[in-house]
Amino acid sequence: MQNNNCASVLKSAVQINKPEYMFLKKNSQKKKKLKKKWFRSNLYTLIVIFMLVLLALLSFCIALIGYHNFTKYFTNEYNDSVLKTAVTASYLVDGSRIPYYMEHGKDSEDYQETEYLLTRLCNSEGMSVIYVMTISDDYKMTTSVFNCLNDESTYTKWELGYQVKTSDVEYEKAYRKMYEEGLESATVVRIENLNSGKPHVTALVPLKDENGKVTGILHVQRYVTELNSIRRKYLNQLGVTAVILMLFSALVAAIFLRKEVVDPIKKISQEAERFAKDNSRNPKGVGAEISHVREISSLACSIDKMEYDTLKYVEDITNMTKESERIGTELNVASNIQLGLLPSDFPAFPDKPEFEIYASMTPAKEVGGDFYDFFLIDDDHLAFLIADVSDKGIGAAFFMAIAKTIIKTRALTGASPAEILAAADSIISKKNPAGMFVTVWLAVLNLKTGHVVACNAGHDYPAILQRKGQEGFVIEKTDHGPPVAFLPDMTFPNLEFDLRPGDRLFLYTDGLNEAKSVSGERFGVQRILDVLNEHTEDNEENTLKAMEKAVRTFSGEEPQFDDMTMLGLTYKGRTE
């Protein structure tokens, strides 16, 4: 009851907040749509905007560089003109007479004449003021000797002997170098931080007496008001020109982009959408002539080729699928035929209590190269064998059928296993263009006595369980010959031993002991013996099925890479 109340409260809370939630959700979706719309602006608009921004940045950089260089060049021109005027003016002033001018300047005719000449020079060269100052020992105070103003100057004329503090650190440094280091000229540029003063350039030249001693400093000053007006005019002209060029460039670029980029890309996009929808080829194609831009032309050709290749690929896949289905059907028939060649009815000989036999084959592909066989040569002799062809698949299956037929045909003549395999080797080696071979373990069992005559043609050694004097299955290495059809005209040795009632044989191909786990470890002979020894009292069918289960558990997800064939035989003897 309490849980139901909690559920109803939560439900009502959700219903109360639902309108607010829907409002927030709609706003969120609206914002997302706006973002998508912004980021999905068409290519044409983006490129034009990008070009305008790029041209604006370029114009700004050009203006900035031009402004800087123009200011530097114009300032240098001012410096040169002022300095030349200062040098000229220095020839008009006799440096050795400055001490005299300080005492008798107003009454001296040459002082008045020099002042007149300096004033004329100031007006003729467009300078704002030319003045001569004596400098104190600490370079911080100056005393006026000459002060010649331009007729249009707004300065107040300094009288002879007027003292004023050194106006700037740069002046002080220049004075010090001229008095102490012999500096011949200097210029001071003052354009910014002038309070109410006008921007100007001042040239300084030392005046000396006949002994080379500096007696005063001649200053020539010029307003640089023209600099600001000219720079402003330069920026205005540059700005107008840049705007015109930007608009013209944007127009040309827009026309070019629409014709050679945007419209062709739209056509290519439309063709791609059409192909994805209709899955049919456009007989005219997009064509390389759609644009003069190489990349877009190449893209158009790629679209045409993609359509052709895709349709061709679909056609090929369709044909391959049909062919694969046909081959699959044929392989299934071949697999059934191959399995039909092997004994598969168990118990195999219900009327023969002398022995029990069971065998199985699991091919790695649809058809395999392993095979086994067992058959009665007569009432008292059983032939049984296991073999492994040197390959897998269809070719190995054909080779297996031939080898099996030859071996069985020869065995029914009553020949020994060595003679049987030698005959098979001779027949197969003569016509073996593929160079294939087969390993075989073949035996003939005397059902009366338990005597076995066997021959090993390069095959794995079998496991044997002998009840008398032996606790479990073992594998013994014995003499063997080469594989059948490996080399022509080879000899094969016979091997003889006896089985007592209850003794067992286990034959297998290397697909069993070489089966791999996911980590790459092999199943190995020791695991084969362990499984066999766990099932010494079972019948042959249960023993082989236990072996199959052990291999599957060991391999896990690792796919089978080789055919796996097993044959088990128990000799029971006759009970006459």
Side-chain angles (χ1 to χ4, degrees):
M1 190 70 180
Q2 187 177 359
N3 290 337
N4 291 335
N5 290 336
C6 290
S8 62
V9 171
L10 288 173
K11 185 175 180 180
S12 62
V14 171
Q15 289 175 346
I16 291 170
N17 292 328
K18 188 172 180 180
E20 182 181 354
Y21 167 75
M22 293 301 295
F23 174 76
L24 293 173
K25 185 176 180 181
K26 287 181 180 179
N27 281 346
S28 176
Q29 290 175 346
K30 189 175 181 181
K31 288 180 181 178
K32 287 182 179 179
K33 286 182 179 179
L34 288 174
K35 285 184 178 179
K36 288 182 180 178
K37 188 175 180 181
W38 166 250
F39 284 111
R40 290 183 181 178
S41 297
N42 61 71
L43 178 65
Y44 178 74
T45 304
L46 289 175
I47 294 178
V48 171
I49 292 174
F50 175 76
M51 288 194 62
L52 287 172
V53 172
L54 188 64
L55 287 171
L57 290 174
L58 183 63
S59 300
F60 176 77
C61 293
I62 292 173
L64 188 64
I65 295 171
Y67 180 84
H68 174 75
N69 289 336
F70 179 81
T71 302
K72 183 178 179 181
Y73 173 78
F74 204 78
T75 303
N76 289 338
E77 286 295 316
Y78 265 75
N79 289 346
D80 290 343
S81 66
V82 173
L83 187 59
K84 289 176 181 178
T85 303
V87 172
T88 302
S90 66
Y91 290 108
L92 301 177
V93 181
D94 185 355
S96 60
R97 297 277 294 170
I98 287 180
Y100 175 79
Y101 293 153
M102 292 297 294
E103 294 183 8
H104 309 288
K106 290 185 179 180
D107 301 326
S108 171
E109 292 182 4
D110 63 335
Y111 174 86
Q112 296 174 4
E113 183 179 357
T114 301
E115 186 178 37
Y116 170 74
L117 293 175
L118 291 175
T119 303
R120 285 194 59 185
L121 180 65
C122 182
N123 282 284
S124 63
E125 296 297 325
M127 303 296 121
S128 58
V129 60
I130 298 177
Y131 58 99
V132 177
M133 309 290 285
T134 59
I135 312 301
S136 64
D137 294 339
D138 59 0
Y139 309 108
K140 295 188 181 296
M141 291 294 296
T142 61
T143 303
S144 175
V145 181
F146 291 99
N147 192 255
C148 306
L149 304 178
N150 188 292
D151 293 342
E152 298 179 359
S153 176
T154 57
Y155 283 139
T156 301
K157 182 179 176 64
W158 293 343
E159 297 296 332
L160 178 64
Y162 180 80
Q163 291 186 334
V164 63
K165 290 183 179 180
T166 303
S167 59
D168 194 277
V169 176
E170 289 187 60
Y171 284 99
E172 185 177 333
K173 289 180 179 179
Y175 295 156
R176 187 181 300 277
K177 289 183 178 180
M178 288 179 179
Y179 273 89
E180 297 179 5
E181 300 177 14
L183 181 66
E184 292 297 329
S185 64
T187 55
V188 176
V189 179
R190 299 190 67 191
I191 298 178
E192 299 177 353
N193 301 323
L194 298 173
N195 295 326
S196 59
K198 296 180 180 180
H200 58 269
V201 176
T202 304
L204 290 76
V205 175
L207 299 175
K208 301 177 182 179
D209 58 14
E210 62 274 6
N211 297 320
K213 181 181 178 182
V214 177
T215 58
I217 304 296
L218 185 140
H219 303 69
V220 176
Q221 187 182 102
R222 182 181 178 183
Y223 292 141
V224 291
T225 51
E226 299 94 332
L227 176 63
N228 291 333
S229 61
I230 293 175
R231 284 193 303 191
R232 192 178 301 109
K233 184 177 180 181
Y234 165 78
L235 290 176
N236 291 337
Q237 291 177 347
L238 183 63
V240 172
T241 303
V243 170
I244 293 173
L245 288 176
M246 284 172 57
L247 294 176
F248 178 75
S249 300
L251 179 63
V252 172
I255 295 172
F256 174 81
L257 288 171
R258 179 172 288 279
K259 181 180 178 182
E260 299 294 339
V261 178
V262 177
D263 288 344
I265 289 179
K266 282 184 178 179
K267 291 179 181 178
I268 292 172
S269 176
Q270 290 169 356
E271 175 59 21
E273 291 177 359
R274 184 205 65 78
F275 179 74
K277 182 179 179 181
D278 299 342
N279 198 24
S280 62
R281 192 181 179 199
N282 185 354
K284 296 182 179 179
V286 182
E289 64 278 0
I290 192 172
S291 173
H292 291 92
V293 179
R294 183 176 60 187
E295 289 77 7
I296 296 177
S297 176
S298 176
L299 178 61
C301 292
S302 299
I303 289 292
D304 290 340
K305 188 174 185 303
M306 180 202 70
E307 291 182 1
Y308 173 80
D309 290 346
T310 301
L311 294 176
K312 182 70 168 57
Y313 179 73
V314 171
E315 182 181 356
D316 291 344
I317 288 294
T318 303
N319 294 334
M320 287 172 62
T321 302
K322 292 179 181 178
E323 183 67 14
S324 177
E325 290 175 353
R326 183 186 66 80
I327 293 173
T329 302
E330 293 181 358
L331 284 174
N332 188 44
V333 172
S335 178
N336 291 333
I337 292 173
Q338 183 185 32
L339 293 175
L341 293 174
L342 304 179
S344 57
D345 294 330
F346 299 100
F349 302 99
D351 56 341
K352 289 289 183 181
E354 296 94 336
F355 67 94
E356 177 193 352
I357 193 166
Y358 190 86
S360 68
M361 185 190 76
T362 306
K365 296 184 178 179
E366 288 80 358
V367 290
D370 285 7
F371 66 95
Y372 64 86
D373 202 359
F374 49 85
F375 49 89
L376 288 171
I377 298 173
D378 53 41
D379 287 343
D380 294 328
H381 293 87
L382 171 72
F384 60 98
L385 66 111
I386 191 166
D388 185 0
V389 179
S390 60
D391 201 352
K392 294 177 284 295
I394 297 293
F398 278 119
F399 195 86
M400 160 258 182
I402 294 170
K404 179 180 179 298
T405 302
I406 292 173
I407 291 171
K408 184 172 183 178
T409 301
R410 190 66 177 176
L412 291 174
T413 65
S416 70
E419 292 171 339
I420 296 169
L421 296 183
D425 178 73
S426 177
I427 294 170
I428 298 173
S429 296
K430 290 178 181 179
K431 292 184 178 181
N432 185 19
M436 300 175 72
F437 58 87
V438 56
T439 65
V440 184
W441 196 93
L442 169 65
V444 176
L445 170 64
N446 188 319
L447 300 179
K448 281 185 178 182
T449 64
H451 186 68
V452 178
V453 180
C455 183
N456 187 343
H459 199 77
D460 293 278
Y461 301 107
I464 184 169
L465 171 65
Q466 292 180 317
R467 299 288 182 175
K468 186 176 180 180
Q470 185 177 310
E471 293 183 358
F473 280 89
V474 294
I475 292 178
E476 296 180 354
K477 294 184 179 180
T478 55
D479 292 339
H480 64 85
V484 173
F486 187 72
L487 291 171
D489 302 323
M490 296 300 293
T491 59
F492 298 85
N494 275 327
L495 167 68
E496 298 186 29
F497 58 92
D498 292 311
L499 295 177
R500 293 181 176 84
D503 290 352
R504 299 173 65 180
L505 279 173
F506 177 78
L507 310 179
Y508 60 93
T509 59
D510 57 7
L512 177 62
N513 60 298
E514 293 183 0
K516 289 196 303 182
S517 66
V518 177
S519 63
E521 185 182 2
R522 303 286 182 179
F523 190 70
V525 174
Q526 186 57 51
R527 286 189 175 87
I528 294 175
L529 293 175
D530 290 342
V531 175
L532 290 174
N533 289 324
E534 289 175 3
H535 298 273
T536 56
E537 303 303 325
D538 280 352
N539 61 30
E540 295 298 338
E541 181 178 359
N542 290 339
T543 300
L544 266 63
K545 288 182 178 180
M547 187 68 72
E548 290 177 358
K549 182 179 179 182
V551 173
R552 284 197 302 270
T553 303
F554 175 80
S555 298
E557 299 296 327
E558 184 69 17
Q560 180 182 345
F561 72 97
D562 197 3
D563 303 333
M564 189 167 62
T565 305
M566 297 177 286
L567 184 148
L569 179 137
T570 300
Y571 177 66
K572 297 182 178 180
R574 286 190 173 175
T575 58
E576 294 178 353

